[in-house]
Each structure stands twice: as structure tokens, then as C-alpha cells.
Amino acid sequence: MPTVLEVEIWSDVVCPWCYIGKRRFENAVAALREAGDDIEVRAVYRPYQLDPTASPGKATPVSEAYAKKFGGPERAAQIIGHVTDVAASEGIEFRMDRALRANTLLAHRLLWLTEATGHQSAMKDRLLRAYFEDGLDIGDPDVLADCAADVGLDRDRVAAFLESDDGADEVRRFLSFARDHDITAVPTFVFAGPEGQGWMVPGAQERDVFVQVLRRLADRLRATADTPDTPDTPDTADTAADA
């Protein structure tokens, strides 16, 4: 039987490094599969808000949001240029000249909904593309419903869900959990096996770093499989990425 590794990925849909990190992580999982590693990776996305104060229903150009956050238009342009170049190296085309910064609470509720349907990873991809490539307002319920339809969900049911309060409390509990457990850099990957052993790795690490972490954790789980009472202390990587 394969060694099962469970991964919680804490991220936001307006975080450039979260998009880059998702691509690198998925490439790492594909590399393990191609190499014949007997490892099964089960990933789930958890919510994090870079800007919880963003006004719902009032999207603003990301260039303005970055200028305000990072000390002016010149610095904002430098940061945008850098992450755009890094994204391109991973096969992602950022169009941050038209990206709209919005409140992401509704988007996280939609991701919470899709966890149970098996569409969560595809939904995450679609939301990231909507924001970083298509210039769509991912705080708009109609946009979110359209994105959900794009990945095979029933648009009308998703629209009704977004009009309700379903999932709101659950998402807020996850947000509180992140604050209470010092998850302050996104993306943050929390790797854990069936017995809870694992590592917390902040930042959009390179593909080979993810490969190494997954292999090391799988080796540790195999080594401790016959001694479940052996304590295991999580390791933390210190590299964090700007968001």
C-alpha cells in the first residue's frame, strides 16, 4: 500500500506566491509519481485572507492596493514585475495590470463547499486564473458562480449557496485557527501523515524542496509505522514569501 501524506495548504486566492506555490507543489507530486515513489498525497486548501479589511463588493486595481501596502507606485511595480517573472518561469501568465483586489471571504466559502465534492483543486485553479489572468472580480457572487460552472458545478446551486450564510462560520473558524497557530506567511504547507507526524513549510518552495520534504516525511512514517507511540516533533522551514 502507498504511504499516505495529508497536506493542508493555507493560502489566499489573491496571493501571487500561493498560485506559484500551488504549481510547484503539484509539479513535485507529479515528479514523485513519474519516479515511481509509492506515495499518495492528499491535499486540501484552507482559507487565509491577506486583506480581510477589503470592502465586499468594492474591488480596486491591484496596483493601487500594492502601492498602498508597499510604500508607493514604484515599489509596487517592482514587486509586481518580480512575481510576474517568477510566475512565467512556472508557466503562469500573470496579468496584474488588470487584476482587481477584492475581499476573498466568498471565494473561501466556495472553496469550502467544493472540498466535499472533489472539485476543490480545480476550483482553486479557476479562482487563481480569474484573478491573476482574467482580471475578474472574485468578490462578485456572479463571477464566482460562473467560475464554479467552469469546473463542472451547478451554477444555480452555487449561486444560492453564496446568497446564504452556509459555510461562513466554518471558514471563519479556519481563519481563527490560522491566527491562533502562527500561520502568518502564505502559502503555508502543513504536511502530516495518518499519525500526525509532519512539517510546517511556509512559502512557495521550489519543486525539488517539496519533493525532498514529501520523501523525508514518507520515510519517517514508514520507519515509525511499527512504533506508533514514538513521539515526533514537527520541523519548520524558515523560508517565507512576500504576499
Side-chain angles (χ1 to χ4, degrees), residues 8-100:
E8 288 188 317
I9 305 173
W10 299 80
S11 64
D12 201 356
V13 294
V14 296
C15 164
W17 292 107
C18 296
Y19 198 172
I20 293 165
K22 185 178 191 295
R23 180 64 57 86
R24 289 175 172 175
F25 178 72
E26 289 173 342
N27 287 340
V29 174
L32 290 176
R33 187 163 51 246
E34 291 170 4
D37 287 66
D38 196 19
I39 297 172
E40 179 183 347
V41 179
R42 299 174 183 173
V44 62
Y45 289 89
R46 299 301 186 205
Y48 187 97
Q49 285 193 287
L50 287 175
D51 186 9
T53 66
S55 299
K58 188 180 179 181
T60 59
V62 73
S63 57
E64 294 181 10
Y66 272 47
K68 182 178 179 180
K69 180 176 181 179
F70 295 112
E74 183 175 348
R75 179 57 179 155
Q78 291 174 347
I79 293 172
I80 289 172
H82 174 61
V83 296
T84 298
D85 289 344
V86 175
S89 72
E90 301 294 336
I92 304 169
E93 183 183 4
F94 278 3
R95 286 296 310 272
M96 296 185 73
D97 56 312
R98 59 187 180 189
L100 298 171

Side-chain angles (χ1 to χ4, degrees), residues 6-10 42-47 106-125 127 148 151 153 158 161 166-167 169-175:
E6 298 175 352
V7 187
E8 288 188 317
I9 305 173
W10 299 80
R42 299 174 183 173
V44 62
Y45 289 89
R46 299 301 186 205
L106 277 180
H108 286 304
R109 284 181 53 217
L110 178 55
L111 288 167
W112 172 84
L113 174 70
T114 57
E115 179 185 349
T117 68
H119 293 80
Q120 195 188 49
S121 182
M123 190 74 257
K124 183 78 170 184
D125 262 337
L127 294 176
V151 301
L153 296 175
V158 170
F161 166 80
D166 292 348
D169 288 342
E170 289 81 355
V171 168
R172 291 191 179 97
R173 280 197 289 270
F174 278 122
L175 293 171

